[in-house]
Amino acid sequence: MHWVKILGVAVGAAALLGLGIILGHFAIPKASDPLAPNTSDAQDLDLAILDLVMGQLDASRIRENLRELSKEPHVASSPRDEALVRLLLERWQDTETGLDAAKTYEYTVLLSFPRQEQPNIVEVVSPSGTVFHSFQPGEKNLTGEQVGPNVLQPYAAYAPPGTPKGLLVYANRGSEEDFKELETRGIKLEGTIALTRYGGVGRGAKAINAAKHGVVGVLVYTDPGDINDGKSLPTETFPNSWGLPPSGVERGSYYEYFGDPLTPYLPARPSTFRLDLNNISGFPPIPAQPIGFEDAKDLLCNLTGDSAPDSWQGKLGCDYKLGPGFKQDGSFPADSEVKVSVHNTLELRPSSNVLGIIQGAVEPDRYVIYGNHRDSWVHGAVDPSSGTAVLLEISRVLGTLLKKGTWRPRRSIIFASWGAEEFGLIGSTEFTEEFLSKLQERTVAYINVDISVFANATLRAQGTPPVQSVIFSATKEISAPGPSSLSIYDNWLRYTNRSSPVYGLVPSLGTLGAGSDYASFIHFLGISSMDLAYTYDKGKTSARIYPTYHTAFDTFDYMEKFLDPGFSSHQAVARTAGSVLLRLSDSRFLPLNVSDYSETLHSFLEAAQKDLGTLLEKHNISLSPLVTAVEKFKTAAAALVRRISTLQKNSPNPLQVRMVNDQLMLLERAFLNPRAFPENRYYSHVLWAPNTASAPTFPGLANACARAQDANSGSEAWAEVQRQLSIVVMALEGAAATLEPVDDL
C-alpha cells in the first residue's frame, strides 16, 4: 500500500539521520565534559581500569544472560527476535549501567521460511507415486524444547519449492569432484536425487554442483563420523552426551553470497532498488532438504550399486553404496524412488540491528566496533546467544564505569547486535553498505564474538595479522579456566601453535573466511578484524563443530551441562574480548603491529615461488616484481615500528600521534581492489579472498594459475594470471606507501 511505502521511507530516513547525528555528534570534541575524565591527548591505557574491568566481568551474570536470551526460539524477524531488540535497548539505556546512546536500524530484507501448514517432507515412493515410507520433518522431543509453534522445522533456507523424485544416489559431500567421480564410474545422474553429507563444501554449493550434472533434488545429512566421533545410538548422544542425536538436523542458509539477496551493494531500506526475483543469483537451483542421520541411514544403507570409495564411507554401520536406486533385499522395493517435497516461501521481512555507543573522550571520531548477531535458528544457546551473553556483560561493566564518571575511552566504542546473520550475514552487511564511507574513514578495528563458547578447552582466535599482537598481549595477562595456573596464552599454546621466524613458538591465529559478521568488515571495507571464542580439544574429537549446531537441541541446558558447566569459559572470553576492546579503544598508539603482515606476505611469496614458480617461468612470467614488493613492505613496516617506538619514548604532539595511528588503521584498506575478483561479490581484499587452488599463496594469483595451467601462452587465461600478479604487486606497493612517513611524497 502507498501509505506503507511512505511510512517506510520516513522511518528509513529517520534512522539514517539518527546514526548521522549520533556518530557525527561524537566526532565533535567537547570543550568541557564532566563525564569525560582524563581527556588530554596523553590519555593512554589505564592498567588499573583494565584490572577493574577484568575483575568485574561475572560468570554468573553471563549465565543469567544466556538463560534469558535462549529461553525461546528467536529466528530473525520473529516476535521473540524483536523482543530481544527491546531487551538490548533497555540494557543500553539503563540509567546505572547503560551507554551514551542506543538505537535500532531497521532493514527490509528477503528471508526464506518453511510452511508450517505444509511441512517439507521426504518419501520413498513407487514409480506410480505410491508412498512406501515417509520421513517426517522435525526432531524428536527429547527435552520438551524440540516442539512448539515457534520451533522452526528443519529446512534449507532459500532452497526453491518443488517436488522432484528420482532414483537415489550417494554423492559424498556434494563437491564438483564428487559428482565427477560418480560420472566416471558410469553412474547416470540425470533425474536422480542426491544424498550428500555436510562438510567439504558450503551448503548451497552442494545443490549448485548437483544441478550442473542433472540431479533434480538434494538431501543433506550430518554423518556421525563427522560430528559424533562415530557414536550414533540414542544412549550415546544428547541428552546423555554432547553428541548429536539421531533425529538432529542442521538448518542453515543455502544462499551462496552474503547480504540481502535483493539489494547487493545497497542497504535494504524501503526506498532502495530491488532486483527482480528472477534475477537473483546464489540461490540453490533445485530443491534441497536437510535430514537427520537416522533417516539418512534408512536410505543410504539400502542403496544398491558399487561400494563408495573408502574416503566416502561414514559411521552409519553399513557399507555405503553409490546407487542409483535401492537393493533387491532391502527395506524398500528395488524400483522405489525418493520424492522430496519442499514448500519454502520467500518473504520480505523487517530486521533490526541494535547499536550501543560510548563516546570517545579524545578521538570520538575513531570507532572500535564489537559485534555479535542476535538471531538463531531455534533456541540458539550456543549460536549465537553465548556471544550475546558475553557482549551484554562487557557492556554492563563498561556502562557502570561510564555512568559513575570514572572512565571514558579515548576512542568511541560501538556495540552492535546484528540481525538476520543466519540467513547470510544480512544485518552487518547492510550496515556496512549504508555507512561504507564513514566506517572506512573512521573504524580502527572490528571485534566479532559470535559463538563465544564451543567447548571449554582453549581459546580459538582468528584475525588479520595486525591484531595478533593485541590478542597475545591480552591473553598473557588472563588466567585460563581450570585448575592449572596457566594464562590463556600459555594454555592456547599447548593446543594449537606454530613456529614463527620472528617470535619462535606462538599460538596459531586462524584466518578469516566468511563464516560470521566480520566478513563484510574485512573483505568489503578492509577493516582489521578478529573473531574470538573458546573451543574444544581437537586431539580428543574430530567433530567439525559442536554437535547440536543449528538444531533444536542447542539449548541452555545443553550449554550448562556439556560445554561450560561453570561458565568459566564464557568469563575467559569476556575477559579476553574486554581486554582487547580496552587496549584498542584506550591505548594512545594503536596496538596493531603492522610488521606481522611481513611474515604473512613472506610465506605467501615462498609458496608462490615453490608451487607456481616453474609454471610461471614456462610462460615467461617473472615473480621478481612480487619479491621486490614484499621486501619494500617489510622495510616500510619495520621503519614505522621504529618510528612509533621513538615517539613513545618522547613527547609527541597530538598530530604526530594521529598521523601514525591513521597509518596503522588504514593499512588494511590498502589491500583492497574492488576490481580484483568481479566474480566474487563483496570480496575486495587481495590477500584474503577465497582460494580454490591448492597453493597457499595470494588467492587471485593461485586461482588464475589453476585455471590457466592447461592453456596456451598468450591466451586470455594467462593474461588473467599476469593481471592478478600486477594486482598483488600494486596492493603491496600501496600498502608500503601507506606505512612510509606521511611527509614522504
Side-chain angles (χ1 to χ4, degrees):
M1 292 182 290
H2 184 62
W3 67 269
V4 174
K5 293 181 180 178
I6 294 173
L7 178 60
V9 172
V11 170
L16 178 59
L17 177 62
L19 183 62
I21 290 173
I22 290 173
L23 295 183
H25 173 73
F26 290 165
I28 304 172
K30 309 298 185 296
S32 62
D33 185 349
L35 294 180
N38 190 18
T39 59
S40 71
D41 182 70
Q43 179 180 337
D44 205 346
L45 178 67
D46 186 331
L47 296 180
I49 290 290
L50 180 60
D51 289 343
L52 181 64
V53 170
M54 295 298 99
Q56 290 187 358
L57 292 167
D58 190 327
S60 64
R61 288 181 181 270
I62 297 173
R63 178 182 182 274
E64 291 311 307
N65 286 341
L66 185 62
R67 182 190 292 278
E68 174 65 24
L69 292 164
S70 62
K71 69 180 182 182
E72 296 177 34
H74 49 284
V75 70
S77 77
S78 67
R80 178 59 181 170
D81 182 41
E82 291 305 307
L84 293 182
V85 168
R86 295 190 293 273
L87 182 150
L88 284 153
L89 286 174
E90 289 170 5
R91 296 283 185 95
W92 289 343
Q93 292 171 345
D94 187 272
T95 56
E96 295 184 356
T97 62
L99 311 179
D100 287 325
K103 196 170 181 65
T104 60
Y105 301 93
E106 186 178 282
Y107 301 95
T108 304
V109 299
L110 187 69
L111 304 181
S112 167
F113 296 98
R115 290 180 182 270
Q116 190 170 8
E117 70 280 5
Q118 192 178 19
N120 298 345
I121 197 166
V122 178
E123 298 167 310
V124 178
V125 300
S126 70
S128 63
T130 302
V131 177
F132 294 125
H133 187 80
S134 177
F135 298 100
Q136 295 299 320
E139 294 153 308
K140 290 182 179 176
N141 190 20
L142 300 181
T143 64
E145 299 165 290
Q146 288 74 48
V147 296
N150 298 322
V151 173
L152 207 63
Q153 65 164 280
Y155 76 117
Y158 298 111
T163 55
K165 68 179 180 127
L167 295 176
L168 187 69
V169 297
Y170 171 53
N172 192 31
R173 301 189 187 279
S175 69
E176 177 67 17
E177 292 74 18
D178 291 337
F179 286 107
K180 287 181 178 178
E181 173 67 20
L182 291 176
E183 289 184 331
T184 299
R185 289 170 175 259
I187 296 174
K188 295 181 180 179
L189 296 174
E190 190 77 28
T192 62
I193 303 293
L195 176 62
T196 65
R197 57 204 273 194
Y198 273 119
V201 297
R203 302 182 190 97
K206 299 176 191 296
I208 291 172
N209 294 334
K212 292 177 183 176
H213 295 270
V215 174
V216 294
V218 170
L219 299 175
V220 190
Y221 80 99
T222 302
D223 197 280
D226 299 326
I227 205 78
N228 284 352
D229 297 310
K231 296 177 181 177
S232 61
L233 300 176
T235 55
E236 299 174 315
T237 57
F238 182 78
N240 299 301
S241 79
W242 84 322
L244 178 69
S247 68
V249 185
E250 179 184 320
R251 299 152 181 80
S253 173
Y254 282 59
Y255 179 47
E256 280 285 272
Y257 303 121
F258 44 91
D260 171 47
L262 289 177
T263 60
Y265 294 106
L266 298 170
R269 292 297 191 183
S271 61
T272 300
F273 167 79
R274 284 172 167 77
L275 296 173
D276 184 276
L277 284 175
N278 295 319
N279 293 331
I280 298 176
S281 59
F283 285 174
I286 55 177
Q289 175 67 22
I291 60 175
F293 67 73
E294 65 180 357
D295 292 342
K297 180 176 182 178
D298 288 340
L299 296 171
L300 186 50
C301 292
N302 280 288
L303 278 180
T304 188
D306 295 336
S307 292
D310 289 345
S311 62
W312 292 28
Q313 297 291 330
K315 296 294 182 180
L316 289 177
C318 65
D319 179 33
Y320 291 16
K321 303 288 188 180
L322 297 175
F326 296 113
K327 59 188 179 183
Q328 290 288 341
D329 56 347
S331 302
F332 313 119
D335 62 348
S336 299
E337 298 177 326
V338 170
K339 181 180 179 182
V340 182
S341 299
V342 173
H343 307 289
N344 300 341
T345 62
L346 295 170
E347 300 180 32
L348 277 175
R349 294 273 194 97
S351 180
S352 297
N353 295 331
V354 190
L355 266 62
I357 300 171
I358 300 176
Q359 176 185 351
V362 180
E363 298 181 83
D365 60 334
R366 290 294 178 262
Y367 315 144
V368 181
I369 304 178
Y370 180 119
N372 164 239
H373 73 96
R374 182 183 61 257
D375 63 303
S376 67
W377 287 113
V378 195
H379 295 86
V382 183
D383 181 10
S385 299
S386 65
T388 308
V390 165
L391 178 148
L392 285 173
E393 177 60 2
I394 293 174
S395 65
R396 179 194 71 83
V397 171
L398 296 185
T400 301
L401 295 177
L402 190 71
K403 293 299 185 184
K404 288 180 178 178
T406 57
W407 168 83
R408 182 170 290 278
R410 179 186 180 93
R411 303 176 185 89
S412 295
I413 294 173
I414 301 175
F415 290 103
S417 173
W418 309 117
E421 185 268 0
E422 294 292 8
F423 289 84
L425 319 180
I426 289 177
S428 56
T429 302
E430 300 313 298
F431 183 75
T432 56
E433 289 170 339
E434 182 164 12
F435 301 107
L436 182 152
S437 296
K438 182 176 289 187
L439 294 172
Q440 276 196 320
E441 291 168 2
R442 303 178 183 179
T443 305
V444 167
Y446 176 69
I447 303 168
N448 196 69
V449 181
D450 182 339
I451 298 171
S452 71
V453 174
F454 292 84
N456 58 1
T458 179
L459 184 74
R460 185 209 70 178
Q462 300 167 299
T464 54
V467 306
Q468 174 179 266
S469 59
V470 69
I471 297 173
F472 286 178
S473 295
T475 53
K476 287 177 180 178
E477 302 299 324
I478 305 168
S479 296
S484 76
S485 58
L486 296 175
S487 66
I488 289 177
Y489 177 91
D490 289 329
N491 184 65
W492 180 15
L493 194 63
R494 292 169 56 204
Y495 285 95
T496 173
N497 56 66
R498 66 182 182 87
S499 180
S500 163
V502 179
Y503 304 109
L505 195 67
V506 295
S508 296
L509 183 76
T511 57
L512 296 173
S516 192
D517 289 300
Y518 50 74
S520 59
F521 286 93
I522 179 59
H523 298 301
F524 183 41
L525 299 189
I527 292 169
S528 294
S529 301
M530 71 188 78
D531 185 80
L532 303 171
Y534 236 73
T535 191
Y536 43 82
D537 180 355
K538 291 186 178 180
K540 293 183 178 179
T541 176
S542 61
R544 65 181 179 86
I545 198 168
Y546 72 97
T548 66
Y549 175 66
H550 286 189
T551 73
F553 305 105
D554 179 356
T555 62
F556 175 84
D557 287 341
Y558 178 80
M559 171 65 81
E560 184 170 53
K561 186 174 182 181
F562 297 111
L563 303 189
D564 192 19
F567 281 77
S568 59
S569 294
H570 281 80
Q571 185 181 47
V573 173
R575 286 173 172 168
T576 301
S579 178
V580 169
L581 178 63
L582 283 174
R583 291 168 190 270
L584 286 167
S585 62
D586 276 359
S587 297
R588 191 181 189 193
F589 289 95
L590 288 173
L592 298 173
N593 189 346
V594 294
S595 277
D596 285 345
Y597 244 129
S598 299
E599 188 177 341
T600 298
L601 297 178
H602 186 68
S603 70
F604 278 16
L605 174 60
E606 283 190 330
Q609 292 170 323
K610 176 184 176 183
D611 298 336
L612 307 177
T614 302
L615 180 64
L616 291 170
E617 286 178 11
K618 181 181 176 182
H619 293 274
N620 299 315
I621 297 176
S622 172
L623 286 174
S624 60
L626 187 58
V627 173
T628 302
V630 169
E631 189 60 34
K632 185 181 293 186
F633 179 90
K634 181 179 178 181
T635 300
L640 179 59
V641 170
R642 290 193 299 271
R643 193 156 67 251
I644 293 172
S645 178
T646 300
L647 288 172
Q648 287 173 324
K649 296 173 183 176
N650 298 311
S651 299
N653 64 51
L655 184 56
Q656 288 176 309
V657 175
R658 180 70 165 212
M659 287 191 299
V660 166
N661 281 339
D662 280 357
Q663 289 176 281
L664 297 172
M665 179 182 76
L666 295 174
L667 169 63
E668 209 78 63
R669 314 312 189 251
F671 293 113
L672 296 183
N673 187 322
R675 295 176 179 83
F677 314 107
E679 72 283 4
N680 289 333
R681 189 179 296 174
Y682 294 106
Y683 287 99
S684 299
H685 201 299
V686 302
L687 302 181
W688 307 119
N691 185 343
T692 58
S694 58
T697 184
F698 304 99
L701 180 62
N703 294 339
C705 283
R707 291 190 292 265
Q709 60 182 343
D710 296 326
N712 295 324
S713 294
S715 65
E716 288 187 10
W718 280 105
E720 177 61 16
V721 172
Q722 292 177 315
R723 188 180 82 91
Q724 288 294 339
L725 179 59
S726 293
I727 285 171
V728 172
V729 170
M730 182 184 73
L732 299 193
E733 290 180 343
T738 299
L739 301 181
E740 291 169 353
V742 295
D743 57 353
D744 183 1
L745 302 180

